[in-house]
Amino acid sequence: MTLPVALFLLAATPMGADSGRVALADSNATRVVMLGTGTPNADPDRSGPSVAVVVNGRAYLVDCGPGVVRRAAAAARSGTPALAAEKLGIVFITHLHSDHTMGLPDLVLTPWVLERSTPLEVYGPVGVRSMTDHVLAAWAEDIRVRNEGLEPEKSDGWQVHAHEIQPGVVYRDSNVTVTAIPVPHANWKRAFAYKFVMPDKTIVVSGDTRPSDALVEAATGCDILVHEVYSAEQFKSRPVEWQRYHADAHTSTAELAALATRIKPRLLVLYHQLFWGTDDAGLVGEVRRGYDGAVVSGRDLEVYR
Ligand SMILES: [Zn+2]
Ligand SMILES: [Zn+2]
């Protein structure tokens, strides 16, 4: 698919409150909603990592960092009704790091209390079933009290169907085919990027990863690439032991510029940004030194189409 650059940039413009009219008029169009662009850093402006791919009125989440259900509710209010809490029904987890999964109990329980009637579908690496079992065990008394008390909701909405996945196609329905791509992330045995193929768009979310040839191969020519990143400039002044970790776990702006030059997405969205003192414009500037395509630094609740 090719769009003139100017039109594409317009389409990729975040839909904030002042452009809600566009969102409301076109609430079924395929889009990416940044529910949380944060990291383990407790930045009050950036909720825990979570991205929603919204297709034909259904939201497919990638990761569930802290704050996920409230950010989704905010997105629903701003023109993406598929993200209303009680409609959150499926999540693809990239890896089991706490910053990407601390919203799991929120995603299991809050929508149920708000009358989601069907179990949550969770896809993720081996270990995700144990994690969900432990979440249900931890809140067993809450589930019992709500089910036995006067609250009207008595559905199966508190249950979880956990699917432990292998690389390859992991999910398919009439809207989307989802492929898991194994990515290297520090000493995690299993971490995934996810590729969403829809009739009108292909969207790839990197998860946490250092540069990955498998990701390049899977993402080449995609419409929107949401990729994690850290500042190559600020990295230079990080303590040596942290440099070792970040180089093993994550992707620098310079590395991402090289990857994006190979992938050629229509839009590159910086995500899970480690700023270390720089800002969105600083990160974008670093990427642009080595990449001449369209790039934005994602913020919570921005929408890309
Ligand atoms: Zn992370
Ligand atoms: Zn991680």
Side-chain angles (χ1 to χ4, degrees):
M1 271 177 288
T2 54
L3 276 174
V5 170
L7 176 59
F8 167 68
L9 287 173
L10 186 67
T13 299
M15 297 189 293
D18 55 347
S19 55
R21 182 176 52 80
V22 175
L24 289 170
D26 198 11
S27 63
N28 277 337
T30 300
R31 65 192 62 191
V32 172
V33 183
M34 308 301 284
L35 296 180
T37 59
T39 63
N41 296 318
D43 181 344
D45 297 325
R46 292 179 182 270
S47 213
S50 185
V51 175
V53 175
V54 182
V55 193
N56 200 21
R58 186 163 189 220
Y60 302 80
L61 269 54
V62 178
D63 285 335
C64 45
V68 59
V69 174
R70 275 163 174 73
R71 276 294 198 260
R77 196 161 59 187
S78 304
T80 307
L83 285 163
E86 72 279 7
K87 293 183 181 165
L88 302 175
I90 184 165
V91 61
F92 297 86
I93 291 179
T94 61
H95 65 302
L96 299 179
H97 249 153
S98 54
D99 53 319
H100 296 252
T101 52
M102 280 192 287
L104 184 60
D106 194 16
L107 205 51
V108 172
L109 296 167
T110 308
W112 167 55
V113 173
L114 298 175
E115 302 193 7
R116 180 185 64 204
S117 60
T118 54
L120 179 69
E121 303 289 336
V122 179
Y123 292 77
V126 170
V128 80
R129 182 170 297 130
S130 171
M131 181 176 276
T132 54
D133 287 348
H134 282 84
V135 166
L136 292 174
W139 275 275
E141 188 66 0
D142 171 88
I143 294 166
R144 187 189 68 76
V145 166
R146 289 186 196 277
N147 270 330
E148 293 178 1
L150 294 176
E151 287 168 272
E153 183 52 39
K154 309 293 186 195
S155 73
D156 294 334
W158 60 272
Q159 294 181 9
V160 180
H161 293 160
H163 308 265
E164 295 189 332
I165 61 167
Q166 299 297 325
V169 172
V170 297
Y171 179 84
R172 185 178 279 133
D173 66 15
S174 58
N175 291 325
V176 63
T177 298
V178 184
T179 302
I181 302 129
V183 292
H185 178 45
N187 55 341
W188 284 96
K189 289 199 184 82
R190 297 170 196 89
F192 294 109
Y194 287 105
K195 177 180 182 179
F196 294 78
V197 178
M198 286 76 65
D200 62 336
K201 269 187 194 69
T202 297
I203 294 166
V204 176
V205 182
S206 71
D208 283 6
T209 180
R210 64 179 182 266
S212 160
D213 286 332
L215 180 67
V216 171
E217 191 178 327
T220 293
C222 70
D223 292 280
I224 300 175
L225 172 63
V226 179
H227 202 293
E228 69 118 271
V229 75
Y230 67 82
S231 165
E233 277 305 310
Q234 305 298 317
F235 177 85
K236 294 172 187 166
S237 49
R238 296 284 291 162
V240 171
E241 58 271 26
W242 276 112
Q243 287 185 344
R244 266 200 298 271
Y245 174 73
H246 288 300
D248 190 40
H250 298 297
T251 301
S252 74
T253 43
E255 290 168 335
L256 183 53
L259 295 173
T261 298
R262 295 164 63 194
I263 293 170
K264 296 185 173 51
R266 286 201 299 119
L267 176 66
L268 170 63
V269 180
L270 310 184
Y271 172 57
H272 193 278
Q273 302 99 316
L274 286 164
F275 294 97
W276 299 321
T278 187
D279 56 15
D280 288 298
L283 282 187
V284 168
E286 289 182 28
V287 171
R288 283 201 173 125
R289 283 181 211 162
Y291 177 59
D292 60 8
V295 52
V296 294
S297 184
R299 298 182 191 213
D300 286 22
L301 297 177
E302 284 184 344
V303 179
Y304 303 104
R305 298 167 51 191

